[in-house]
């Protein structure tokens, strides 16, 4: 009876003052009054969540264990949490509720604190809510106090309302057309609630199938919409390759090892076979072929890459050159994986951080029917993927499973994205988020050739330096890097390094920032000395690689030359056979020390 008079009572209270307002406060504070007045929206929401909780299979396998302790972010794999706002997986209270309502329909296990009635307690907020409930109970009026306050109301109509008596003249707005208050029986109310539950569950399930209900953590939201993180990216990366040892105990598994063509051999994990097991079939994928010059020779590049693949000690079945960002070679890779994969076999993406594993998964989803809605997060910041994140193979219709749909033996198969293993020898490990944008190459590189004279230095910002200390009067160098080079005398180079270490801004960028940042930046130290012979006037003899930022090919015909290579702390530098030995054309008309871009 009181439910049908709830809206008119509130309208009357808005017009009253004084004792009526005081009585309203008392009315909303007593346990007896809250029990008498039904809260229909709250009941419907709770009933919908209860109806949605059911034992179903995972739509996203987000942990190595079959039943994770808590849900995980579908784009980065980090476990959701509500305590540290700067850490991966953080959700505020509103997003946590939204995530729980969407995930229970998909059959994910109940999160910690979920009771049998379907109410969810958020970790980190339980104590605060308990204190709030205790405070509310302390302010609650007893029945005697409530009756005493109601008896002091002067208006007889309001006094009758709060005492629970029937008042004529009040009409439920929902029944304005009939002019009479409509009272629903218990069976009618139950039928309406069941109908609402069915519609809500169907809607949430439909949005889950379409991937529109995914809740992502705050870190993924910042990366997706603003391409930034709120704290140093190095705090979240994984640098120990032993985290992949769990693959040794996996059976019926195919491994896809992804590396970065722009960072060979730095993007390869040494002795990977000893870590993940040598018995698994492996498909080796060299990503970011779109960053190379347009005139690269694919077959020659493939033969060159096979030399480095031998040192991985893996059961390599095939090698592919792809560009996940441009979808180059992705269809050929998908067809090869479909052919080589056994029934019911899971696929694991393994590799260094920032080699493009997540983007490769997105490329496979883009060529799948309806797969784009289930993409994972990919960005230029290393360590974007924080945990093991799996996508069912049935999402890869036409790419990895037939167009007719996944077979019965593939309905429990997944494609897993593993966290990238960061190399401590990479030079980009010393860079901030802003400096990464200057150093990391994200579009097709345009190599330029320059003349490096005797007793001269080639400087790539504050990250790399090559000194020609002995040999011919000049050699030719071809630079494959996003950092603008600077040529100067060796003594002048030493002076620039000293000034940068003192906190003075110089032409060497990166690093960028204030004086404290420049003082903190690691000092350039000798990484290696190398003597070699120039074999051809227009063909490269060696590549000097700066891990993570590019390489310098040295050309020329001479009997002997000696170079010294410097890098921060003397790490991240190696010498390899030339990747692209025939790309040298001629020396560029301008030296970059004049700050003119070669044309």
């Amino acid at each position: 009876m009181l439910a049908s008079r709830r809206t008119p009572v509130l309208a009357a209270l808005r017009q009253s003052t004084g004792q009526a307002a005081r009585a309203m406060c008392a009315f909303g504070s007593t346990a007896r009054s809250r029990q008498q007045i039904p809260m229909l929206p709250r009941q419907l929401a709770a009933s919908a969540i209860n109806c949605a909780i059911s034992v179903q299979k995972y739509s996203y396998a987000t942990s190595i264990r079959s039943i994770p302790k808590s849900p995980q972010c579908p784009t980065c794999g980090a476990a959701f949490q509500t305590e540290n706002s700067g850490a991966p997986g953080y959700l505020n209270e509103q997003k946590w509720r939204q995530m729980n309502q969407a995930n229970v329909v998909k059959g994910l296990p109940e999160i910690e604190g979920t009771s049998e009635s379907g109410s969810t307690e958020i970790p980190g907020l339980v104590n605060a809510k308990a204190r709030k409930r205790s405070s509310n109970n302390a302010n609650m009026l007893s029945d005697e106090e409530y009756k005493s306050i109601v008896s002091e109301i002067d208006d007889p109509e309001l006094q009758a309302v709060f005492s629970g008596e029937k008042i004529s003249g009040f009409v439920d707005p929902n029944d304005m057309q009939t002019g009479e208050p409509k009272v629903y029986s218990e069976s009618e109310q139950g039928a309406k609630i069941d109908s609402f539950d069915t519609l809500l569950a169907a809607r949430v399930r439909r949005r889950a199938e379409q991937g529109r209900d995914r809740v992502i953590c705050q870190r993924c939201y910042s990366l997706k919409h603003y391409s930034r993180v709120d704290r140093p990216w190095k705090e979240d990366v994984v640098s120990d390759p032993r985290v992949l040892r769990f693959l040794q105990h996996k059976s019926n598994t195919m491994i896809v090892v992804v590396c970065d063509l722009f960072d060979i051999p730095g993007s390869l994990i040494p002795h990977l076979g000893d870590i993940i097991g040598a018995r698994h079939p492996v498909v080796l994928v060299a990503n970011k072929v779109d960053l190379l010059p347009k005139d690269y020779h694919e077959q020659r590049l493939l033969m060159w890459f096979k030399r480095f693949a031998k040192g991985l000690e893996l059961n390599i079945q095939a090698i592919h050159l792809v560009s996940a960002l441009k979808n180059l070679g992705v269809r050929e890779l998908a067809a090869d994986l479909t052919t080589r994969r056994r029934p019911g076999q899971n696929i694991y993406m393994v590799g260094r951080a920032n080699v493009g594993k997540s983007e490769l998964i997105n490329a496979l989803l883009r060529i799948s029917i309806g797969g784009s809605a289930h993409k994972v997060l990919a960005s230029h910041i290393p360590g974007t993927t924080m945990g093991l994140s799996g996508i069912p193979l049935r999402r890869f219709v036409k790419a990895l499973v037939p167009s007719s749909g996944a077979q019965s033996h593939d309905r429990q198969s997944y494609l897993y994205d593993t966290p990238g293993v960061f190399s401590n020898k990479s030079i980009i490990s010393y860079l901030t988020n802003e400096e990464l944008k200057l150093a990391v190459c994200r579009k097709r590189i345009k190599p330029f050739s320059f003349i490096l004279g005797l007793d001269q230095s080639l400087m790539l910002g504050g990250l790399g330096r090559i000194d020609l200390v002995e040999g011919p009067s000049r050699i030719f160098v071809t630079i494959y890097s996003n950092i603008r080079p600077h040529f100067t005398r060796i003594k002048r180079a030493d002076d620039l390094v000293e000034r940068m270490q003192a906190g003075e801004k110089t032409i060497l960028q990166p690093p960028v920032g204030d004086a404290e940042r420049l003082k903190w930046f690691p000092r350039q130290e000798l990484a290696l000395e190398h003597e070699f012979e120039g074999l051809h006037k227009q063909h490269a003899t060696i590549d000097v690689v700066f891990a993570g930022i590019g390489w310098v090919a040295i050309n020329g015909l001479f009997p002997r030359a000696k170079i010294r290579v410097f890098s921060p702390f003397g790490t991240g530098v190696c010498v390899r056979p030339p990747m692209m030995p025939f790309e040298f054309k001629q020396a560029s008309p301008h030296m970059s020390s004049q700050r003119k871009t070669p044309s």
Side-chain angles (χ1 to χ4, degrees):
M1 179 175 62
L2 287 178
S4 61
R5 302 199 305 266
R6 184 180 181 189
T7 303
V9 168
L10 294 179
L13 287 176
R14 293 191 187 99
Q15 300 176 1
S16 62
T17 57
Q19 294 176 339
R22 182 183 176 189
M24 183 60 191
C25 296
F27 181 72
S29 303
T30 60
R32 182 174 64 87
S33 300
R34 286 203 302 268
Q35 292 174 359
Q36 291 177 351
I37 294 183
M39 301 294 290
L40 185 58
R42 186 178 300 176
Q43 289 178 352
L44 291 177
S47 179
I49 295 177
N50 291 336
C51 176
I53 296 178
S54 59
V55 180
Q56 300 176 0
K57 294 181 174 58
Y58 292 109
S59 291
Y60 285 92
T62 54
S63 177
I64 301 173
R65 302 181 353 165
S66 58
I67 301 179
K69 290 185 177 181
S70 61
Q72 294 174 288
C73 180
T75 55
C76 71
F80 282 131
Q81 50 88 20
T82 59
E83 298 178 356
N84 190 348
S85 60
Y90 174 76
L91 288 181
N92 57 27
E93 182 176 358
Q94 179 183 1
K95 286 296 182 181
W96 183 280
R97 299 294 183 187
Q98 180 183 347
M99 175 271 304
N100 185 60
Q101 182 180 5
N103 284 356
V104 291
V105 174
K106 296 189 291 184
L108 292 177
E110 296 182 358
I111 58 179
E112 292 183 353
T114 302
S115 63
E116 296 180 357
S117 62
S119 62
T120 303
E121 295 293 349
I122 303 177
L125 300 177
V126 177
N127 294 336
K129 291 195 170 186
R131 291 193 298 267
K132 184 177 180 180
R133 286 195 298 266
S134 177
S135 176
N136 291 339
N137 293 334
N139 297 329
M140 187 175 296
L141 296 177
S142 64
D143 291 348
E144 291 75 12
E145 292 175 333
Y146 172 76
K147 291 179 180 179
S148 175
I149 294 176
V150 171
S151 63
E152 296 176 1
I153 300 177
D154 296 334
D155 192 334
E157 292 185 356
L158 287 178
Q159 187 177 18
V161 168
F162 289 114
S163 61
E165 298 178 4
K166 184 176 180 180
I167 304 297
S168 61
F170 288 106
V171 180
D172 192 338
N174 296 325
D175 300 320
M176 289 294 291
Q177 295 179 355
T178 63
E180 297 180 359
K182 185 175 180 180
V183 180
Y184 293 99
S185 64
E186 294 184 0
S187 59
E188 290 176 336
Q189 291 182 359
K192 292 183 66 175
I193 292 176
D194 292 340
S195 176
F196 178 82
D197 294 344
T198 304
L199 292 176
L200 179 60
R203 178 177 179 271
V204 174
R205 188 176 292 106
R206 183 172 61 254
R207 291 176 63 88
E209 290 296 327
Q210 297 173 354
R212 297 165 55 194
D213 65 332
R214 295 197 302 174
V215 177
I216 61 177
C217 65
Q218 188 180 70
R219 176 177 178 271
C220 290
Y221 187 88
S222 298
L223 283 172
K224 181 179 179 179
H225 296 281
Y226 306 107
S227 298
R228 63 176 177 82
V229 290
D230 297 331
R231 65 177 188 172
W233 59 269
K234 293 184 289 294
E235 297 182 8
D236 302 326
V237 297
V238 177
S239 58
D240 190 354
R242 290 177 295 181
V243 299
L244 301 174
R245 280 187 174 178
F246 72 93
L247 291 173
Q248 292 183 0
H249 311 289
K250 295 291 182 179
S251 60
N252 201 22
T253 297
M254 173 177 283
I255 307 295
V256 177
V257 178
V258 186
C259 63
D260 183 358
L261 264 179
F262 208 73
D263 186 15
I264 300 293
S267 61
L268 298 173
I269 303 176
H271 309 291
L272 183 59
D274 296 337
I275 299 173
I276 66 174
R279 74 182 189 279
H280 298 303
V282 173
V283 175
L284 188 58
V285 178
N287 191 24
K288 302 185 182 181
V289 71
D290 60 301
L291 299 181
L292 301 180
K294 293 183 179 180
D295 56 349
Y296 75 91
H297 193 278
E298 183 175 353
Q299 291 300 321
R300 185 171 64 241
L301 182 61
L302 192 59
M303 293 177 59
W304 174 88
F305 182 64
K306 288 181 179 179
R307 302 180 188 177
F308 295 95
K310 294 180 181 179
L312 296 178
E313 303 174 1
L314 294 171
N315 181 20
I316 299 177
Q317 304 291 318
I319 298 178
H320 290 268
L321 304 178
V322 305
S323 169
L325 189 62
K326 303 293 185 180
N327 269 41
L328 301 176
V330 175
R331 296 184 183 275
E332 292 78 3
L333 172 63
D336 190 29
L337 291 177
T338 304
T339 303
R340 297 179 183 278
R341 195 180 68 86
R342 297 193 300 269
Q345 200 171 38
N346 293 323
I347 301 176
Y348 287 83
M349 294 285 184
V350 175
R352 291 284 191 189
N354 210 33
V355 297
K357 301 184 299 299
S358 300
E359 190 61 50
L360 182 58
I361 293 177
N362 291 339
L364 293 172
L365 287 169
R366 283 195 294 268
I367 64 174
S368 304
I369 299 177
S372 297
H374 306 279
K375 293 193 299 184
V376 296
L377 182 64
S379 73
H380 68 283
I381 297 179
T384 300
T385 303
M386 302 303 304
L388 186 64
S389 178
I391 303 178
L393 283 183
R394 65 175 181 272
R395 305 296 188 193
F396 298 89
V397 175
K398 191 180 177 180
L400 299 178
V401 298
S403 300
S404 58
Q407 303 298 323
S408 58
H409 51 261
D410 287 333
R411 291 174 183 172
Q412 298 298 321
S413 300
Y414 290 85
L415 189 151
Y416 290 96
D417 187 13
T418 62
V421 180
F422 188 75
S423 175
N424 292 325
K425 296 181 179 180
S426 179
I427 295 178
I428 65 175
S429 62
Y430 307 113
L431 303 181
T432 62
N433 301 338
E434 180 182 359
E435 293 164 350
L436 279 176
K437 298 179 181 179
L438 301 176
V440 176
C441 185
R442 290 188 284 175
K443 61 181 180 180
R444 189 180 298 277
I445 197 67
K446 210 172 176 185
F448 294 108
S449 298
F450 300 93
I451 296 175
L452 180 63
L454 187 64
D455 294 330
Q456 278 191 338
S457 290
L458 159 62
M459 309 188 76
L460 297 177
L463 306 181
R465 169 183 167 187
I466 300 177
D467 294 350
L468 179 60
V469 294
E470 296 180 16
S473 59
R474 66 177 188 175
I475 61 175
F476 296 96
V477 292
T478 304
I479 300 172
Y480 300 81
S481 178
N482 198 44
I483 302 175
R484 181 176 295 181
H486 177 68
F487 291 83
T488 186
R489 290 287 180 182
I490 293 179
K491 291 184 178 180
R492 172 69 173 169
D494 293 336
D495 179 61
L496 285 174
V497 173
E498 292 296 333
R499 288 164 52 192
M500 186 183 70
Q501 291 298 318
E504 180 181 349
K505 291 186 178 180
T506 63
I507 202 173
L508 305 179
Q509 292 183 359
V512 295
D514 54 12
E516 290 298 325
R517 167 61 182 162
L518 299 179
K519 291 179 181 179
W520 176 89
F521 195 78
R523 183 182 182 87
Q524 288 191 4
E525 299 178 2
L526 180 64
L528 61 86
E529 289 185 351
H530 186 69
E531 295 186 10
F532 60 99
E533 176 185 359
L535 302 178
H536 198 280
K537 185 177 181 181
Q538 293 187 347
H539 295 172
T541 301
I542 61 170
D543 285 347
V544 180
V545 182
F546 297 91
I549 63 173
W551 71 92
V552 176
I554 299 181
N555 316 284
L557 181 62
F558 44 85
R560 176 181 174 274
K562 182 179 180 180
I563 59 174
R564 290 175 181 165
V565 186
F566 299 81
S567 66
F569 290 146
T571 61
V573 176
C574 68
V575 176
R576 71 184 185 193
M579 174 191 283
M580 309 180 70
F582 306 111
E583 274 60 34
F584 168 75
K585 304 300 181 183
Q586 61 181 2
S588 299
H590 297 292
M591 299 294 288
S592 65
S593 58
Q594 302 170 354
R595 310 316 277 171
K596 294 181 180 180
T597 303
S599 58

